[in-house]
């Protein structure tokens, strides 16, 4: 059991971590800090933390594990602020969507007496805020850990114990490998969703067409409703991998455009193959998903 865990950032993810830790009885004390007015107090009310703090230094003091549950755009300044306040021997981990840049900041700013392990839970909800926190949010979901050659083995073990307490499944990846894979399965879909929404909504007929848009358009455009600031920071910290996937995606779209323009009757073969691949993915990794 952990003696004291500090959660920095008490939104959906941070709040859910706190609830899950309490449910698992994994820590004697879970404390928290959030810049948002009243957020820390609300986190205590819902049972995510035992003690709120109004100062970052007070929250992390004495904590053996510090969890940075903020968007990636806040990580650099946050890690700088932790330089002089984290207790020597403590382990710091994060939940940011990109890893190479965050790990670089951690290695630059954290003292050698503090150990960092990159992390990224592959979950989320359409709603945000500690009010939406859920102790079961991580249950049976993949939680990526991205240690490097410089990562202290005992720190990896400590963060692994924490992830297992959440009920998640650990997947170890190299930081660059993680960023490349997530750029394809998470960041590219957001950019594609944004492009679809912008293309249709900026069209001259959108006023009329919007009334016809139903579940298909809703499914495809859902990610465009995500946080603009969060996705901006993701794109800025993972631009190389995202651009690489965009190039592949644009090439695929260009090929489809040409074949549609020329009335290529073999299009059904491409559609059938994509249908088969999606069904295989769904049955293997997400059997609970309903077909749409």
């Amino acid at each position: 059991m952990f003696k004291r865990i500090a959660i920095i950032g008490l939104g959906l993810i941070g709040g859910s971590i706190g609830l899950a830790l309490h449910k698992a009885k994994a820590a004697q004390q879970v404390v928290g800090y959030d810049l948002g007015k009243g957020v820390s107090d609300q986190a205590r009310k819902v049972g995510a933390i035992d003690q709120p703090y109004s100062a970052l230094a007070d929250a992390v003091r004495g904590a053996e594990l510090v969890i940075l549950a903020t968007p990636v755009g806040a990580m650099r300044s946050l890690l700088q602020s932790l330089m002089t306040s984290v207790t020597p021997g403590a382990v710091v981990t994060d939940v940011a969507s990109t890893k190479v840049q965050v790990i670089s900041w951690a290695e630059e700013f954290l003292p050698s007496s503090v150990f960092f392990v990159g992390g990224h839970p592959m979950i989320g909800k359409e709603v945000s805020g500690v009010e939406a926190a859920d102790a079961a949010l991580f249950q049976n979901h993949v939680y990526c850990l991205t240690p490097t050659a410089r990562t202290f083995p005992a720190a990896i073990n400590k963060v692994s114990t924490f992830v297992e307490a959440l009920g998640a499944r650990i997947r170890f990846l190299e930081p660059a490998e993680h960023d490349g894979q997530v750029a394809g399965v998470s960041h590219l879909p957001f950019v594609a969703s944004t492009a679809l929404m912008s293309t249709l909504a900026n069209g001259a007929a959108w006023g009329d067409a919007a009334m016809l848009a139903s579940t298909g358009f809703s499914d495809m455009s859902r990610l465009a409703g995500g946080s603009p600031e969060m996705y901006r920071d993701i794109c800025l910290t993972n631009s190389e991998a995202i651009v690489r996937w965009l190039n592949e995606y644009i090439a695929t779209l260009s090929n489809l455009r040409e074949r549609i323009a020329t009335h290529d009757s073999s299009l059904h073969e491409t559609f059938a193959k994509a249908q088969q691949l999606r069904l295989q993915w769904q049955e293997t990794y997400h059997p609970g998903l309903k077909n749409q």
Side-chain angles (χ1 to χ4, degrees):
M1 176 183 285
F2 292 94
K3 291 183 179 179
R4 179 179 168 103
I5 293 178
I7 304 173
I8 311 305
L10 295 165
L12 170 67
I13 301 300
S16 296
I17 287 173
L19 290 175
L21 289 172
H22 281 107
K23 184 177 180 181
K25 297 185 168 117
Q28 293 179 10
Q29 184 184 42
V30 179
V31 304
Y33 168 81
D34 193 288
L35 277 174
K37 184 178 180 181
V39 174
S40 296
D41 289 331
Q42 181 63 24
R44 178 169 60 177
K45 286 180 182 177
V46 302
I49 60 173
D50 303 308
Q51 177 68 47
Y53 285 93
S54 58
L56 175 64
D58 293 336
V60 302
R61 188 176 294 115
E64 60 182 299
L65 179 64
V66 178
I67 302 158
L68 308 183
T70 69
V72 65
M75 287 292 173
R76 189 178 192 276
S77 61
L78 184 55
L79 287 162
Q80 281 182 298
S81 300
L82 291 175
M83 287 175 63
T84 57
S85 54
V86 181
T87 301
V91 175
V92 179
T93 187
D94 75 314
V95 303
S97 300
T98 62
K99 297 270 66 82
V100 172
Q101 182 63 78
V102 173
I103 290 170
S104 175
W105 289 330
E107 292 177 345
E108 178 181 358
F109 298 120
L110 292 181
S112 58
S113 60
V114 175
F115 310 101
F116 185 84
V117 181
H120 180 205
M122 302 304 296
I123 45 83
K125 285 185 178 181
E126 292 182 37
V127 290
S128 60
V130 71
E131 297 82 6
D134 179 0
L137 186 66
F138 308 94
Q139 201 69 37
N140 295 319
H141 284 276
V142 171
Y143 197 119
C144 298
L145 294 182
T146 58
T148 70
R150 298 172 60 178
T151 308
F152 196 55
I156 301 172
N157 292 337
K158 184 163 286 191
V159 176
S160 296
T161 299
F162 151 69
V163 173
E164 289 167 354
L166 302 182
R169 296 182 287 118
I170 298 172
R171 180 171 173 78
F172 289 101
L173 291 168
E174 294 288 332
E177 183 182 21
H178 165 277
D179 286 3
Q181 292 182 11
V182 173
V185 299
S186 179
H187 306 160
L188 175 64
F190 168 77
V191 175
S193 181
T194 296
L196 176 67
M197 189 71 241
S198 299
T199 299
L200 270 295
N202 289 326
W206 174 242
D208 293 326
M211 292 186 289
L212 307 181
S214 188
T215 54
F217 180 79
S218 177
D219 291 345
M220 289 294 293
S221 63
R222 179 179 62 83
L223 292 176
S227 166
E229 295 79 16
M230 180 185 75
Y231 279 108
R232 173 202 62 199
D233 294 336
I234 285 172
C235 288
L236 292 178
T237 56
N238 201 23
S239 61
E240 184 177 338
I242 295 172
V243 168
R244 187 166 63 247
W245 279 109
L246 275 171
N247 288 338
E248 295 286 338
Y249 190 53
I250 290 168
T252 300
L253 285 174
S254 295
N255 175 267
L256 285 171
R257 179 187 60 189
E258 180 64 24
R259 293 171 63 195
I260 292 169
T262 58
H263 300 268
D264 187 340
S265 61
S266 69
L267 278 167
H268 78 281
E269 296 173 7
T270 300
F271 298 153
K273 180 62 175 177
Q275 180 190 52
Q276 179 186 24
L277 291 170
R278 188 185 188 281
L279 287 172
Q280 288 175 350
W281 164 77
Q282 180 179 306
E283 291 169 0
T284 302
Y285 301 104
H286 298 281
L289 286 179
K290 294 180 180 179
N291 285 317
Q292 300 294 328

